[in-house]
Amino acid sequence: AQKITQTQPGMFVQEKEAVTLDCTYDTSDPSYGLFWYKQPSSGEMIFLIYQGSYDQQNATEGRYSLNFQKARKSANLVISASQLGDSAMYFCAMRGLYNQGGKLIFGQGTELSVKP
Amino acid sequence: NAGVTQTPKFRILKIGQSMTLQCAQDMNHNYMYWYRQDPGMGLKLIYYSVGAGITDKGEVPNGYNVSRSTTEDFPLRLELAAPSQTSVYFCASSRGIRDGNLEAFFGQGTRLTVV
């Protein structure tokens, strides 16, 4: 079975500061991928960053980095130097790559508000 | 490059009516997914497919059916619409596990209201 949990329904951050969005997961699959997506108020789903379970280094994409702690089963998203345009819903997702047949599931989401 | 195309964008159904939400992708992706998103909530997986002719249930399959006769198309069928099916529906596709770049690409969504 797979499960993704995001425990922060809403977060506030001051513009130009860094913010961490939490994500924990559970899976029996020995190989899996972890993703973060952004959903602005317009509704589209925007891919941000990917981490494979066997990747040795934490993934980074511009201002986004993924703090991957495999033993703790956590995959937190760090956004550095927040911008007003970062205000959106953020979803953590997991895809089982071995036993789960590619099934992709999402967490409940965190609504991030960036204050000027 | 169209990516993932969903039709229609909006639809109002009466209770008990049926409809098919269309989804097509032009990226030759093996994996396709259907999700529903209720207001302020996350995406719940309805059905997914790992290739033409193969489909499997997700987290919330009741009240829905799918088929995958081609790589490109993955329609979602609602047989007897109920108010509980009022939601935004997203279709997505992704590459095979051995193909790298595993992120899913999403359509723009279909906003369905059942009255």
Side-chain angles (χ1 to χ4, degrees):
Chain A
Q2 293 175 271
K3 188 176 181 181
I4 287 272
T5 303
Q6 294 179 253
T7 58
Q8 305 156 311
M11 291 278 288
F12 289 92
V13 65
Q14 206 69 31
E15 191 179 8
K16 299 181 184 178
E17 291 186 349
V19 63
T20 298
L21 306 183
D22 294 341
C23 173
T24 57
Y25 62 91
D26 194 14
T27 181
S28 56
D29 208 315
S31 179
Y32 50 90
L34 296 157
F35 307 80
W36 278 91
Y37 284 82
K38 173 183 178 181
Q39 187 180 44
S41 58
S42 53
E44 72 264 36
M45 295 292 289
I46 301 169
F47 166 72
L48 296 177
I49 195 166
Y50 167 78
Q51 177 84 45
S53 59
Y54 286 102
D55 291 344
Q56 295 296 316
Q57 294 188 331
N58 287 342
T60 61
E61 287 287 349
R63 293 186 299 111
Y64 305 108
S65 60
L66 202 153
N67 184 0
F68 180 47
Q69 298 188 45
K70 193 171 182 178
R72 293 186 177 186
K73 294 187 175 181
S74 73
N76 299 338
L77 177 70
V78 181
I79 305 175
S80 63
S82 297
Q83 302 172 356
L84 296 178
D86 293 334
S87 293
M89 285 289 290
Y90 288 81
F91 293 102
C92 181
M94 176 170 64
R95 181 178 176 187
L97 304 180
Y98 190 73
N99 293 332
Q100 295 296 326
K103 184 190 294 186
L104 176 65
I105 63 168
F106 285 77
Q108 308 93 314
T110 296
E111 184 173 11
L112 178 66
S113 298
V114 180
K115 294 182 174 181
Chain B
N1 189 356
V4 179
T5 302
Q6 287 184 239
T7 54
K9 289 186 171 51
F10 304 92
R11 183 72 186 268
I12 298 174
L13 275 183
K14 293 185 179 179
I15 295 171
Q17 286 185 323
S18 301
M19 78 163 294
T20 299
L21 281 65
Q22 301 291 344
C23 177
Q25 53 93 8
D26 62 0
M27 296 173 282
N28 200 32
H29 286 169
N30 287 331
Y31 290 78
M32 296 189 74
Y33 310 87
W34 273 106
Y35 297 91
R36 60 175 288 172
Q37 184 180 28
D38 297 333
M41 305 295 284
L43 279 73
K44 291 293 187 183
L45 181 64
I46 304 172
Y47 271 95
Y48 68 106
S49 170
V50 303
I54 306 170
T55 62
D56 207 347
K57 295 178 180 178
E59 301 166 289
V60 289
N62 291 343
Y64 307 94
N65 278 301
V66 294
S67 60
R68 184 98 182 268
S69 57
T70 67
T71 299
E72 294 79 16
D73 300 300
F74 191 40
L76 178 70
R77 178 81 176 164
L78 283 72
E79 289 295 348
L80 292 170
S84 61
Q85 293 177 305
T86 294
S87 191
V88 177
Y89 291 83
F90 286 99
C91 179
S93 72
S94 64
R95 292 182 180 87
I97 290 167
R98 291 182 175 82
D99 296 337
N101 294 333
L102 298 177
E103 76 267 25
F105 296 78
F106 281 80
Q108 292 300 305
T110 296
R111 187 174 297 275
L112 176 66
T113 302
V114 182
V115 296

